Amino acid sequence: MPGVSLVGSGSACLTVPLTNADLSQRVDTSDEWILTRTGIRQRHIAAAADSLASLAAEAARHALTMAELGAEEVDLILLATSTPDDLFGTACQVQAALGATRAVAFDLTAACSGFVFALVTAAQYIRTGVFKHVVVIGADVLSRWTNWDDRTTCVLFGDGAGAVVLRAADRDRLLGFELCSDGTLNHCLNLAYRAQAAPLVGDVAVQQGSFAPITMNGREVYKFAINRVPEVIEKALFRASLTTAEIDWLVLHQANQRILDAVASRLNVAPERVVSNMDRHGNTSAASIPIALDEAVRAGQIKSGDVVATAGFGAGLTWGAAIVQWG
Ligand code: UT7
């Protein structure tokens, strides 16, 4: 059975920062509250010229360059996003922008777990021998759907895109994974469609509404994260026949610095082994793990052969972990 190797990473460079001080001009909050409760100093907001597709394509281009792979060699593009440019899917626009003429492309939605779910999904196509080169992208523009008058959510989110290139290899570097969902907790975090009935003809009415802003029960999601994330990482490690002591880097979904600290402490992973860019990017949903991974690789922290434990968690509710060996 072919294995999976991770041979390139990339992220999009967003240039419009929104600081805590900026936000405190809009809602009743402060730099001190946001920093101590979340670890966030600033986040980036997509510019008018940016689209989800353009950010995703930029991240993918950087990843392909690192992998020294031409776009025409890509077999599959998997785009994890909850904020598509087009509800029919945005991955095909990314395929066209990249010139990945041979690739099939589709979207996958699992909110902040999207990148981990997409990584594991992509790996199955490689393991079965169907595809050789896959680009996995996590990208979100949550600023489109944030209620900018709700201080309990608007201080958390930012926009971004990150990507990795997977290649078929003799030795499998996806060492273990575990994916979970619990729809009974769906109400804790939503970006829900709100229908409005509009009479059409006779007794027939159509339901044409729009998506409501993000709503979240922060305390419930916080409790869920600090309990379920260590557990799911331990299950993935068990499948990989590894222990927490063998984790070189913990790359978690960047939701809150307090969550990163709590998970690391429960797993007994030293703080210097925890990758965090919370202060600069905030929570970029499906993009947060590949951006953190890419920054750590380019900074020379994550090196070839390092064992990286990644875990995503969020709306659905969904959560999942993948243990990979970089390079
Ligand atoms: O990516 C998806 C996953 N999402 C997450 O992982 C989010 C998980 N949850 C969290 O990270 C945290 O629960 C938050 C950062 C959202 C909130 O932190 P918290 O320590 O749980 O605060 P809280 O909700 O318990 O609120 C404490 C107080 C409240 O005031 P009272 O009721 O004690 O008077 C809030 O009204 O802080 C108030 N508050 C704020 N104050 C200033 C809430 N938001 C703000 C704000 N600025 N932005």
Side-chain angles (χ1 to χ4, degrees):
M1 188 173 81
V4 179
S5 59
L6 291 93
V7 291
S9 66
S11 47
C13 174
L14 275 79
T15 53
V16 186
L18 182 69
T19 65
N20 293 347
D22 293 335
L23 274 172
S24 64
Q25 293 174 37
R26 171 88 187 196
V27 289
D28 181 14
T29 191
S30 64
D31 178 50
E32 201 255 333
W33 191 95
I34 301 171
L35 193 56
T36 52
R37 299 282 179 139
T38 71
I40 301 168
R41 290 179 193 275
Q42 64 165 42
R43 67 290 292 144
H44 290 91
I45 301 297
D50 296 325
S51 63
L52 193 278
S54 70
L55 297 176
E58 185 188 339
R61 263 186 222 107
H62 292 307
L64 287 167
T65 302
M66 188 188 286
E68 298 179 355
L69 187 73
E72 68 287 349
E73 293 177 80
V74 176
D75 301 302
L76 167 68
I77 297 168
L78 207 38
L79 173 61
T81 188
S82 305
T83 52
D85 291 333
D86 183 333
L87 282 181
F88 286 151
T90 303
C92 295
Q93 292 181 42
V94 178
Q95 180 227 15
L98 293 175
T101 46
R102 283 184 45 243
V104 60
F106 62 93
D107 293 17
L108 181 154
T109 299
C112 303
S113 308
F115 177 76
V116 170
F117 280 36
L119 180 72
V120 170
T121 303
Q124 308 315 309
Y125 286 99
I126 292 179
R127 284 176 166 178
T128 50
V130 177
F131 295 136
K132 194 169 172 205
H133 292 120
V134 182
V135 178
V136 179
I137 309 167
D140 268 309
V141 185
L142 284 181
S143 63
R144 291 175 175 172
W145 301 108
T146 301
N147 177 353
W148 291 103
D149 294 317
D150 176 7
R151 71 173 183 173
T152 67
T153 52
C154 77
V155 300
L156 304 173
F157 302 116
D159 301 334
V164 294
V165 175
L166 306 186
R167 173 178 286 150
D170 292 341
R171 194 165 58 80
D172 203 351
R173 271 83 146 195
L174 174 58
L175 307 176
F177 69 85
E178 180 80 12
L179 307 178
C180 308
S181 302
D182 183 357
T184 65
L185 296 174
N186 181 261
H187 57 277
C188 291
L189 183 48
N190 300 101
L191 205 183
Y193 181 71
R194 292 221 181 120
Q196 285 181 331
L200 190 64
V201 285
D203 291 339
V204 181
V206 287
Q207 309 292 321
Q208 293 200 323
S210 64
F211 286 89
I214 296 165
T215 56
M216 180 174 73
N217 182 332
R219 286 183 201 183
E220 281 305 314
V221 177
Y222 186 92
K223 273 192 285 178
F224 147 78
I226 61 169
N227 289 313
R228 296 284 88 84
V229 175
E231 191 179 273
V232 82
I233 291 173
E234 278 178 337
K235 284 184 180 165
L237 282 168
F238 177 76
R239 293 185 193 284
S241 303
L242 293 172
T243 65
T244 53
E246 290 166 284
I247 296 174
D248 291 311
W249 298 101
L250 197 55
V251 185
L252 303 178
H253 166 49
Q254 310 280 300
N256 186 325
Q257 188 61 45
R258 284 156 56 212
I259 294 177
L260 304 193
D261 295 343
V263 172
S265 153
R266 285 195 186 196
L267 293 174
N268 214 13
V269 173
E272 59 273 19
R273 293 276 148 200
V274 182
V275 174
S276 172
N277 60 23
M278 285 298 326
D279 58 333
R280 288 175 291 115
H281 294 286
N283 176 346
T284 56
S285 191
S288 86
I289 293 173
I291 293 174
L293 194 64
D294 181 51
E295 290 183 349
V297 168
R298 286 175 194 271
Q301 291 179 291
I302 296 178
K303 296 188 177 66
S304 186
D306 283 356
V307 172
V308 182
T310 68
F313 52 93
L317 296 183
T318 53
W319 64 107
I323 314 297
V324 298
Q325 193 169 23
W326 183 256

